[in-house]
Amino acid sequence: MGRKLRASLLAVAGAAAFALGATPTAAHAGPVQGQQQDQAVRIEIEPQGELVTAAAGCPVSAYGYSGTAMCGTIALVCSWDEAFVIAPSRTVWHAWPGSGGWREMPNNGRADNMWDCYRNGDGQRQVEVWTAADNVYYSYYSGGWRGWYYYPGS
């Protein structure tokens, strides 16, 4: 398919729909012991045409909200009806039904790619991102998204 944006409509958890130009890729090995499998969908974001550069970003759309993601990265669609992407500025963004648009994740997280999303051993929503330094960081939801923490098992 080259460098052209592929359109795809994915149903997640039977109800949520996420439109993004790409084809799903396999998720990593799965949750750590004590974590529940969450059926995250990983989608590769590809440039549309030769004129799109990584700095310009690639178009992305979720739950009816349009935005720009870093080309060549992975987007995550989680079973709890929330999508996550990395912006060209390396900031982490998310959208969900009724969010009013893409929202930057709190606590100044920076990443170079997405890794996974699932419910952790406490049943809290958790998202993992990857940095170029080969580290995985995570944030979890407990009444609000918490800080970014180093994941030592990465």
Side-chain angles (χ1 to χ4, degrees), residues 6-88:
R6 291 172 270 174
S8 140
L9 182 62
L10 301 171
V12 177
F18 180 79
L20 182 77
T23 302
T25 60
H28 84 300
V32 176
Q33 185 176 9
Q35 297 168 345
Q36 301 170 355
Q37 182 63 33
D38 197 35
Q39 299 182 10
V41 176
R42 293 169 50 115
I43 303 166
E44 186 175 343
I45 300 170
E46 294 185 6
Q48 182 177 12
E50 298 298 322
L51 298 178
V52 176
T53 65
C58 287
V60 64
S61 177
Y63 309 109
Y65 308 119
S66 296
T68 304
M70 185 186 303
C71 297
T73 60
I74 299 293
L76 294 175
V77 182
C78 307
S79 66
W80 60 79
D81 291 345
E82 191 167 8
F84 295 86
V85 298
I86 306 297

Side-chain angles (χ1 to χ4, degrees), residues 44 105 113:
E44 186 175 343
M105 288 282 286
N113 218 335

Side-chain angles (χ1 to χ4, degrees), residues 44-135:
E44 186 175 343
I45 300 170
E46 294 185 6
Q48 182 177 12
E50 298 298 322
L51 298 178
V52 176
T53 65
C58 287
V60 64
S61 177
Y63 309 109
Y65 308 119
S66 296
T68 304
M70 185 186 303
C71 297
T73 60
I74 299 293
L76 294 175
V77 182
C78 307
S79 66
W80 60 79
D81 291 345
E82 191 167 8
F84 295 86
V85 298
I86 306 297
S89 63
R90 297 185 62 238
T91 54
V92 183
W93 291 70
H94 60 147
W96 60 94
S99 64
W102 286 95
R103 307 282 184 206
E104 186 173 356
M105 288 282 286
N107 305 308
N108 301 311
R110 298 289 183 272
D112 295 300
N113 218 335
M114 303 302 297
W115 189 253
D116 201 1
C117 60
Y118 49 84
R119 293 193 185 273
N120 65 22
D122 294 329
Q124 299 164 324
R125 295 176 279 178
Q126 188 162 315
V127 62
E128 293 179 358
V129 299
W130 176 84
T131 66
D134 246 355
N135 296 314

